[in-house]
Amino acid sequence: MTHLPLSQTIDQVFVLSKAAIMGHIPAPFQPIASAILSVAPVLVVFPLLFAITTVLERKGLGRMQNRYGPNRVGPFGFSQPIADGIKSLTKEDVIPRTADQVVHFLAPLLLVLAAFLAYAVLPIGRNMVIANLSAGVLFFFAIGSMVELAVFMAGWSSRSKYSLLGAMRAVAQMISYEIPLVLSTIVVIMATGTLSTVAIVDAQARYIGILPHWYVFTPWGFCGFILFMIAATAESNRSPFDLPEGESEIIAGYYIEYSGFKFALFFLGEYLGMFATSGLAITLFLGGWSAPLSSLTWIPSYLWFLLKLLAFIAAFIWVRGTFPRLRMDQLMAFAWKFMLPMTLLNIFDAAVWHLMPHNILRWLVCIALLAIPCLLLNLNLKQRKQLQIRTYRFAD
Amino acid sequence: MHAIFFILAALTITGASAAMCLRNLIHCVLALTLGFVGLALLYLFLGAQFVSFTQILVYVGAVAILAVFAIMMTRSAGPHPQPALSSFWITGCITALATFAVLAWAIIHSNIITPTPAQPAVSTNQIGDALMHSFALPLEIMGLLLTAALIGAVIIAMPQNRSSK
Amino acid sequence: MLGNGLLKGLTETARNFFGSYVDKDRLTTIQYPEERAPRIEASRNFPFLVYDGTDPQAGLRCVSCLICEKECPPKCIFIEKSTDKKPDAVGKPQFYPTRFNIDVSVCMSCQICVEVCPFDAIKMDNDFEASATGRFSDLLWTKERLAKSNEYYHHIHPTEAADVDAVLAAARAKAAAPRPPAPSAPGGAPEK
């Protein structure tokens, strides 16, 4: 066994420890032991992150609204997730009498299953990925499309008009935003020439001088990243695209008829989906586990991934605390009239970038190619908008 | 290996036959989706990752949702008491048997029945190359067809203000 | 500029977020069990019975006239009238309620009982800490629970209580004053 420097040993501590454990396991059980050892950390770490995120989100939102947020359970309220967990576990599991029992039961399981499956292709650190599939990105989107089915099952089987409305909204929204989501990743696939997430990160884990070779630092990468994040927000039903859940109109949307632990499973599934799409955005545009500066590579790769993920979560919370909910027609118009043209244009822009010679002109042309249509599209959308001052005929 | 194949085959067949036998249409669609997933897993079992994931993306993510939407928009989703066998069951059986016989005959008389020992691993790159080079024209024709369908859909969905004045 | 509103909103929330850690005056919430907001004078939730003097039961102003029981829209008041008379706070013999129950799970805080009471005996409380663990027994408030002193009434509704006291004092003064001679029959109508 070769002796690695300390920083690399820390970086590969999980990989090495897994190899050490595998050495003690008899050969017939090795495949299944390897699978368990790879999957179990994901099953532990991300639900734990979900628990921490719930309390951080509530505290963050509270502070944004000049409130304290939860501060009763444990030190500074950080034991709140435990209390929530106990509460949701001990609550009565109510199933509506008219509900379709089997489908009603299966929907949250399918949602959580799909959310967990998506982590299979995310490289969490150097050499740390459950399955290095050659069509990894495609796998991610294929699994993501199963979420729609789960949402529909939940909404339909509850036999409630609110849940059905929520499910219809959610499915319409997810289908509409899945197209820009997938199309905005095409530019990265064009640049690397592979669908494997591991290869995409490897392509970005290089440095020009001290600056990283991340795709977000190119015109098409930046545009793709912004479009991807907007579509990802809509895909994970986060505010301001949270109208499938719309607490003020359809109470909780498709999971209104769920209670107790199934409700918690829906929450878990939503947040896991959010983390997974954030993870994919990090993988595709922000260099995955690679350090942002060449001098910072001594920090373990998984910590970089986690830091980037936390930054994404903070951004999600910030956006949720700021923007009001869109209306259904605004949502659809935004998806089809702005996002879709921009993603298609972005693909064209990436092609131009690859074909032009490497000089400053390439930057100018590619930025102009994106900025000018973006401005024009916005002006066009703005003109259509007929804002008027609301007048009250009977009340003064 | 054989056990995995039989499990997947059983899953697919169960899904397909449940789609045929269940009385509630939404249940039928969900069972059909199970069949699609089983098929996708079979592709994966055969080493065709790209086809497998595309199968899930297209059939589970799009076709099943489309079917579900179509059912919900055309009729109430409640259970409809129907006889287990439709009035065309004899014709249906004959058609199914005939199709099965033709397919079985074709498979038995084909010379691909012996598995080649070393299957070439078809990568996503090769599929892309093939689509862009040797099958460029069919791909473009498909694109044209889909564009035409898209335009048609937009025209149908447009508000008919001008004609209704 | 494009996206100007989005940025403005984001800066506002960011300022709130960091400001709330620096500047405690920004935090408008009150940490309830430790601190309490002052009760609002004009608020009301459930009725209580006012008593004068020191004895909560003997000093009740209620004379068991049953008007509130009859007027209560959701019928949440139950009164059992006494058969004897006892001296009230000023010493005048009056009927009194042997039982006076209000089912607060039924009460809708409409204040009609207060409006109709001719003796200013029932008033609206604004004590919001009315939670209980017994669904049936703890929400049926008896006479003992309902009786609250006039000082308490002054404490929670100072203006209203001052008015009520003035009216009561005037009435008592009028009752104590020598009765004026009865006016002669108007119009000199013939008496049979």
Side-chain angles (χ1 to χ4, degrees), chain A residues 100 134-135 139 148 152 156 195, chain B residues 27 49 53 61 68 72 77 124:
Chain A
D100 199 312
S134 69
F139 172 82
E148 287 157 31
F152 170 79
W156 176 78
L195 279 166
Chain B
H27 286 170
Q49 277 187 10
F53 299 150
V68 153
M72 295 204 1
T124 314

Side-chain angles (χ1 to χ4, degrees), chain A residues 196-276:
Chain A
S196 158
T197 47
V198 175
I200 287 171
V201 174
D202 287 341
Q204 295 179 76
R206 291 183 281 121
Y207 298 93
I208 306 163
I210 60 157
L211 289 173
H213 183 259
W214 295 355
Y215 291 131
V216 75
F217 299 126
T218 52
W220 49 268
F222 184 73
C223 181
F225 174 66
I226 299 286
L227 291 168
F228 183 90
M229 281 325 291
I230 296 174
T233 316
E235 275 290 292
S236 48
N237 292 337
R238 293 280 304 187
S239 176
F241 303 105
D242 61 343
L243 69 176
E245 279 153 41
E247 283 90 350
S248 51
E249 318 144 36
I250 49 174
I251 311 139
Y254 46 88
Y255 51 85
I256 180 172
E257 298 294 350
Y258 284 89
S259 60
F261 197 62
K262 285 185 199 158
F263 186 84
L265 279 184
F266 269 105
F267 244 78
L268 178 69
E270 295 236 315
Y271 275 83
L272 287 179
M274 183 182 106
F275 299 156

Side-chain angles (χ1 to χ4, degrees), chain A residues 100 103 132-136 138-139 141-143 145-146 148-149 152-153 156 159 164 167-168 171-172 175 178 182 193-195, chain B residues 24 26-27 30 33 37 49-54 56-58 60-62 64-66 68-69 72-73 77-79 123-125:
Chain A
D100 199 312
V103 183
N132 181 12
L133 299 176
S134 69
L138 194 67
F139 172 82
F141 291 125
I143 294 304
S145 71
M146 274 166 64
E148 287 157 31
L149 202 70
F152 170 79
M153 280 162 69
W156 176 78
R159 292 279 160 84
L164 196 59
M168 292 293 244
V171 171
I175 286 183
E178 203 167 83
V182 174
T194 174
L195 279 166
Chain B
N24 190 325
I26 301 274
H27 286 170
L30 293 178
T33 315
V37 172
Q49 277 187 10
F50 187 81
V51 182
S52 167
F53 299 150
T54 313
I56 292 183
L57 189 66
V58 173
V60 178
I65 296 285
L66 189 73
V68 153
F69 257 74
M72 295 204 1
M73 288 190 174
S123 74
T124 314
N125 285 2

Side-chain angles (χ1 to χ4, degrees), chain A residues 75-383:
Chain A
F76 298 102
F78 273 103
S79 306
Q80 187 71 34
I82 300 171
D84 288 345
I86 293 170
K87 185 188 112 179
S88 65
L89 271 172
T90 51
K91 249 185 158 177
E92 187 189 357
D93 180 23
V94 183
I95 301 170
R97 192 180 297 148
T98 52
D100 199 312
Q101 309 272 339
V102 179
V103 183
H104 193 265
F105 175 75
L106 286 178
L109 296 185
L110 182 62
L111 188 80
V112 173
L113 179 78
F116 270 121
L117 273 178
Y119 288 94
V121 291
L122 286 184
I124 295 161
R126 186 178 280 125
N127 304 330
M128 284 164 72
V129 64
I130 295 177
N132 181 12
L133 299 176
S134 69
V137 180
L138 194 67
F139 172 82
F140 190 92
F141 291 125
I143 294 304
S145 71
M146 274 166 64
V147 172
E148 287 157 31
L149 202 70
V151 163
F152 170 79
M153 280 162 69
W156 176 78
S157 66
S158 301
R159 292 279 160 84
S160 153
K161 50 179 172 287
Y162 295 115
S163 63
L164 196 59
L165 268 175
M168 292 293 244
R169 282 185 182 191
V171 171
Q173 173 180 326
M174 283 172 154
I175 286 183
S176 303
Y177 278 89
E178 203 167 83
I179 298 161
L181 187 77
V182 174
L183 287 181
S184 60
T185 59
I186 299 275
V187 287
V188 175
I189 294 159
M190 281 167 72
T192 49
T194 174
L195 279 166
S196 158
T197 47
V198 175
I200 287 171
V201 174
D202 287 341
Q204 295 179 76
R206 291 183 281 121
Y207 298 93
I208 306 163
I210 60 157
L211 289 173
H213 183 259
W214 295 355
Y215 291 131
V216 75
F217 299 126
T218 52
W220 49 268
F222 184 73
C223 181
F225 174 66
I226 299 286
L227 291 168
F228 183 90
M229 281 325 291
I230 296 174
T233 316
E235 275 290 292
S236 48
N237 292 337
R238 293 280 304 187
S239 176
F241 303 105
D242 61 343
L243 69 176
E245 279 153 41
E247 283 90 350
S248 51
E249 318 144 36
I250 49 174
I251 311 139
Y254 46 88
Y255 51 85
I256 180 172
E257 298 294 350
Y258 284 89
S259 60
F261 197 62
K262 285 185 199 158
F263 186 84
L265 279 184
F266 269 105
F267 244 78
L268 178 69
E270 295 236 315
Y271 275 83
L272 287 179
M274 183 182 106
F275 299 156
T277 28
S278 303
L280 191 68
I282 292 167
T283 304
L284 293 177
F285 297 102
L286 290 175
W289 40 258
S290 65
L293 292 172
S294 59
S295 53
L296 291 172
T297 42
W298 54 272
I299 296 176
S301 54
Y302 44 87
L303 281 187
W304 278 120
F305 185 86
L306 199 66
L307 271 176
K308 288 174 191 175
L309 190 59
L310 286 175
F312 269 74
I313 292 169
F316 269 120
I317 295 172
W318 190 9
V319 164
R320 181 177 169 189
T322 307
F323 299 131
R325 190 179 301 138
L326 265 71
R327 221 171 45 221
M328 196 70 197
D329 60 324
Q330 291 171 336
L331 182 89
M332 288 298 161
F334 188 65
W336 295 102
K337 293 181 181 169
F338 181 76
M339 296 284 285
L340 189 61
M342 282 309 291
T343 44
L344 292 175
L345 196 74
N346 198 29
I347 294 172
F348 178 71
D349 192 62
V352 170
W353 174 270
H354 292 303
L355 294 179
M356 279 184 77
H358 293 229
N359 53 28
I360 193 78
L361 188 70
R362 180 167 85 151
W363 279 85
L364 293 177
V365 168
C366 284
I367 291 173
L369 209 55
L370 287 172
I372 294 169
C374 179
L375 282 171
L376 289 177
L377 266 176
N378 267 288
L379 284 178
N380 187 26
L381 285 178
K382 223 173 222 175
Q383 275 171 0

Side-chain angles (χ1 to χ4, degrees), chain A residues 59-68 71-72 318-319 321-323 374-375 378-379 382, chain C residues 1-2 5-6 9-11 13-14 16-17 20-21 24 26-29 31-34:
Chain A
K59 284 183 94 72
L61 285 180
R63 289 290 174 169
M64 282 174 201
Q65 297 158 1
N66 288 328
R67 296 184 285 110
Y68 284 101
N71 60 354
R72 293 283 147 185
W318 190 9
V319 164
T322 307
F323 299 131
C374 179
L375 282 171
N378 267 288
L379 284 178
K382 223 173 222 175
Chain C
M1 202 196 94
L2 201 66
L6 300 182
L10 286 173
T11 34
T13 43
N16 278 346
F17 182 80
S20 66
Y21 282 103
K24 288 284 167 204
R26 275 175 172 273
L27 295 161
T28 49
T29 40
Q31 297 292 295
Y32 163 64
E34 289 92 32

